[in-house]
Amino acid sequence: STPGRRSDQDSKWMNLMAEGHAANRAGDFAQARDCFTKCYGATQRVEARVSAANMALKLEDFDTALREYNSILAAGDLSTKVGTLVRSKWEEAMAAKRNRARETSLAGVAEPAMAPPVECEVADVAQGLSIFFQHLLDWVQDV
């Protein structure tokens, strides 16, 4: 390799990363993830793997993002900056997953029905309570 010139492998890696970043900027997170995943597969560069995990997060595929972040952290050998970033993204993915679970569980809860008007029932309730207490007093006296 000639000094100052990039190898074909480096050029391919840089092109895949550039395509991934362009797709991310365009909002095509699936295409961006595909580029970053291919780049990681070819180079094993952690930057590509982190970017792929970030795209999973943007696609709201929280389980995939969390698996990727866990694998990156478990592999170790990260700079302090990258380790901090990955831990932060892991926390973001976990919070988003919890929020989705909360929203999903709340979505299944029916809205409470409107209570019927009370003013017309007060006399009936008063009469019912009067009867109840009369029966209670009768029972207490029998015991």
Side-chain angles (χ1 to χ4, degrees):
S1 176
T2 308
R5 288 196 47 159
R6 292 194 170 103
S7 71
D8 287 343
Q9 184 66 22
D10 285 345
S11 292
K12 183 177 179 179
W13 173 76
M14 291 182 66
N15 287 339
L16 279 170
M17 288 299 286
E19 286 176 38
H21 288 300
N24 179 25
R25 283 191 300 276
D28 189 348
F29 307 130
Q31 177 63 33
R33 179 167 165 69
D34 186 54
C35 290
F36 295 136
T37 300
K38 286 178 183 172
C39 183
Y40 177 72
T43 66
Q44 301 297 297
R45 294 187 67 108
V46 72
E47 301 94 329
R49 192 169 192 189
V50 171
S51 292
N54 291 345
M55 294 305 103
L57 178 58
K58 286 185 174 186
L59 288 164
E60 297 184 357
D61 183 354
F62 306 127
D63 290 331
T64 297
L66 288 165
R67 271 194 309 275
E68 286 294 316
Y69 294 136
N70 283 334
S71 294
I72 294 164
L73 291 168
D77 198 29
L78 301 173
S79 70
T80 303
K81 180 180 177 183
V82 172
T84 300
L85 170 73
V86 172
R87 279 187 288 283
S88 171
K89 287 297 196 174
W90 183 94
E91 290 172 9
E92 182 181 337
M94 185 56 77
K97 182 178 177 173
R98 285 184 187 127
N99 285 340
R100 176 182 283 160
R102 198 169 319 141
E103 288 169 2
T104 301
S105 68
L106 291 177
V109 176
E111 288 290 320
M114 290 287 294
V118 177
E119 61 275 356
C120 62
E121 299 175 20
V122 172
D124 294 336
V125 172
Q127 183 180 8
L129 284 173
S130 176
I131 293 168
F132 169 78
F133 283 116
Q134 186 58 52
H135 286 293
L136 183 60
L137 283 173
D138 292 342
W139 179 79
V140 169
Q141 290 173 356
D142 290 342
V143 174

